[in-house]
Amino acid sequence: MMPAVSSGSKACKVNRFNVSMGYRKFSADYLFTGNQLLGQDHVLVTDEKGYIQAILPAGEAGGDVQELAGILSPGFINAHCHLELSHMKGIIPSGTGMIDFLLTVMGRRFFPEEQVLQAISDAENAMLENGIVAVGDICNTADTTGQKRQERLYYHNFIEAIGFVEATAGDRFNMAKGVWEQLKSLKGAGNATIVPHAPYSVSPALFGLIANMEGNNLLSLHNQESPAEDDFFQHGTGDFHRLYEALKLDISFYQPAGKSSLQACLPWFNHHQSLILVHNVMTREEDLQYIQVAGNHLPKLYFCLCPNANLYIGNGLPDIDLLRRYQSTIAIGTDSLASNHQLNVLAELKTLRQHYPAIPIAELLQWATFNGAKALGIEHGFGSFDPGKKPGILLVQPDLSGVKRLL
């Protein structure tokens, strides 16, 4: 939390920011700290490199204050992205539903390397322009390594392991570990962990290898993205059988858990881990009650929302009021350009505001900044205007129609 800021006297007081050179000062209609929304009588002070120095009452800030119209905010955190799929923009039509979307991604993801790399570069440029400073990026390949080596954004690389057949768990884990070895070698560009793709694509043995890997403590999971997922786990029925048939997988061994996919897979994880649950379209009250009762036996959970991707695929939106009622920690992601028109956190907030107009703007911004930083384990440097951090500084329009990067 930010330290309390007194209203102060309107008379300019002498302080180190008045008499020293090399500081930048910003004020706007509103100043969002990462945790609370302050008025225009506050000034944000940084050094020339963008490190936060203080938030001061306007009367104590001295001269040379840059006055702006809008909301000053820390840089956005994109907690869930698939940068490596950027070359698939516009290829999959919207409204296909989950199974056809997955089949199309798997069947059409292979393009000429030059095209793939250019699309990755273009997508990263767009994220920078849209005010994003850090990304939780899903990786099935090492295609993004060269771009990330430039260190323009902070990345946590979630290396996905996929394999629903028990006998293949070791091979699938080793494949993911090969990609992990390449991405964890990036110095200064972020961190890397091996994660399960989704409950319907990871066997118990593979879950165990991932959860028990030493130091593998920040994880991500595609969670309850469509009704078909819970049909499959609760009753063994539904459209996922069509997916396995298309992949020529014999799943005659499978026995439904008789519970939601979330409740079925959470026990695989360890209490000292953190887990970002992504999408959560079908998360229900009984799931949140289960989490409440299990408490400290479960990992620290973050619920990442990707509303534009959910609407693009045709799965609808999560019950966000339910998540808020249970005080879930919510973060924001964009998913991929295969399932979205843009990689833009502000566009995700605008969609949420359209469907849930009662959510305060400060709460939405906290999801996109401080909560996202906590989800990626980088709140020590990003997500809020605490002194010593370099979180990026954005100017956001109050109607969420635009964002400008200031630092």
Side-chain angles (χ1 to χ4, degrees):
M1 296 291 292
M2 294 294 297
V5 180
S6 64
S7 59
S9 168
K10 292 299 180 183
C12 181
K13 298 181 179 180
V14 175
N15 59 54
R16 64 189 179 95
F17 304 117
N18 295 340
V19 298
S20 300
M21 300 296 290
Y23 295 109
R24 296 190 65 179
K25 304 173 187 178
F26 305 90
S27 73
D29 300 318
Y30 300 96
L31 193 160
F32 177 68
T33 67
N35 299 287
Q36 60 179 318
L37 195 65
L38 305 177
Q40 61 184 354
D41 56 342
H42 291 85
V43 174
L44 177 68
V45 184
T46 78
D47 67 13
E48 290 180 327
K49 294 183 178 180
Y51 287 94
I52 305 302
Q53 302 299 302
I55 294 175
L56 298 175
E60 299 180 14
D64 300 321
V65 177
Q66 185 176 353
E67 298 180 355
L68 303 159
I71 305 171
L72 290 173
S73 170
F76 292 145
I77 311 297
N78 183 356
H80 180 77
C81 183
H82 297 253
L83 185 60
E84 68 187 15
L85 296 181
S86 297
H87 61 283
M88 297 191 71
K89 182 177 182 180
I91 288 177
I92 305 175
S94 61
T96 63
M98 194 68 215
I99 304 306
D100 288 310
F101 175 80
L102 290 171
L103 289 171
T104 307
V105 169
M106 288 184 285
R108 300 192 62 181
R109 65 181 295 155
F110 299 103
F111 283 70
E113 182 180 19
E114 182 179 348
Q115 186 176 344
V116 171
L117 297 182
Q118 185 60 55
I120 289 169
S121 175
D122 292 345
E124 185 182 75
N125 286 336
M127 285 198 286
L128 283 160
E129 291 172 7
N130 293 330
I132 292 168
V133 295
V135 183
D137 193 41
I138 301 293
C139 305
N140 288 275
T141 71
D143 290 347
T144 58
T145 306
Q147 190 66 39
K148 289 168 178 172
R149 193 169 282 118
Q150 298 180 36
E151 301 183 20
R152 302 167 76 208
L153 291 171
Y154 176 92
Y155 288 93
H156 187 98
N157 299 295
F158 294 110
I159 317 304
E160 278 189 337
I162 301 175
F164 195 60
V165 177
E166 197 88 349
T168 67
D171 290 340
R172 295 291 184 147
F173 183 75
N174 287 333
M175 287 172 60
K177 202 167 184 180
V179 178
W180 173 77
E181 290 282 355
Q182 295 179 69
L183 283 160
K184 80 181 183 70
S185 68
L186 294 173
K187 302 299 182 184
N191 294 301
T193 47
I194 297 178
V195 304
H197 167 253
Y200 57 80
S201 62
V202 175
S203 68
L206 187 51
F207 265 121
L209 289 170
I210 294 167
N212 295 315
M213 178 181 174
E214 185 176 356
N216 205 44
N217 292 329
L218 176 53
L219 306 173
S220 144
L221 180 76
H222 292 82
N223 175 58
Q224 296 175 299
E225 197 169 353
S226 71
E229 184 173 325
D230 277 342
D231 286 346
F232 185 67
F233 273 80
Q234 289 175 338
H235 311 295
T237 59
D239 210 23
F240 268 103
H241 284 281
R242 186 161 61 89
L243 174 67
Y244 301 123
E245 288 169 4
L247 296 174
K248 295 181 171 53
L249 288 181
D250 178 6
I251 63 161
S252 57
F253 62 87
Y254 176 70
Q255 296 294 322
K259 60 184 76 172
S260 73
S261 60
L262 180 60
Q263 294 181 47
C265 72
L266 276 183
W268 286 110
F269 302 99
N270 300 311
H271 66 89
H272 62 271
Q273 294 173 321
S274 293
L275 176 63
I276 302 173
L277 298 169
V278 184
H279 296 302
N280 313 298
V281 173
M282 298 302 298
T283 301
R284 297 290 182 251
E285 186 159 17
E286 52 266 32
D287 296 313
L288 300 179
Q289 289 173 344
Y290 167 81
I291 290 169
Q292 223 175 38
V293 171
N296 293 334
H297 296 289
L298 298 178
K300 174 66 176 175
L301 298 177
Y302 299 90
F303 290 80
C304 181
L305 308 181
C306 306
N308 286 332
N310 300 147
L311 294 173
Y312 189 105
I313 294 171
N315 292 326
L317 295 178
D319 188 342
I320 298 171
D321 283 338
L322 176 68
L323 293 172
R324 295 174 70 217
R325 193 159 69 246
Y326 276 80
Q327 299 182 328
S328 306
T329 304
I330 296 174
I332 302 296
T334 63
D335 211 64
S336 74
L337 288 177
S339 61
N340 205 335
H341 298 290
Q342 55 197 335
L343 304 183
N344 186 342
V345 167
L346 188 68
E348 305 297 326
L349 298 186
K350 190 172 183 179
T351 295
L352 291 174
R353 197 73 188 277
Q354 288 169 348
H355 289 83
Y356 290 88
I359 300 177
I361 187 72
E363 186 174 351
L364 291 174
L365 289 173
Q366 180 168 332
W367 297 353
T369 56
F370 187 65
N371 284 10
K374 285 175 61 181
L376 295 184
I378 54 172
E379 69 273 22
H380 58 281
F382 295 90
S384 67
F385 287 146
D386 292 303
K389 293 185 179 182
K390 188 181 180 181
I393 302 174
L394 310 179
L395 183 67
V396 179
Q397 293 307 306
D399 62 356
L400 304 180
S401 62
V403 60
K404 180 180 180 182
R405 194 183 190 111
L406 301 178
L407 280 177

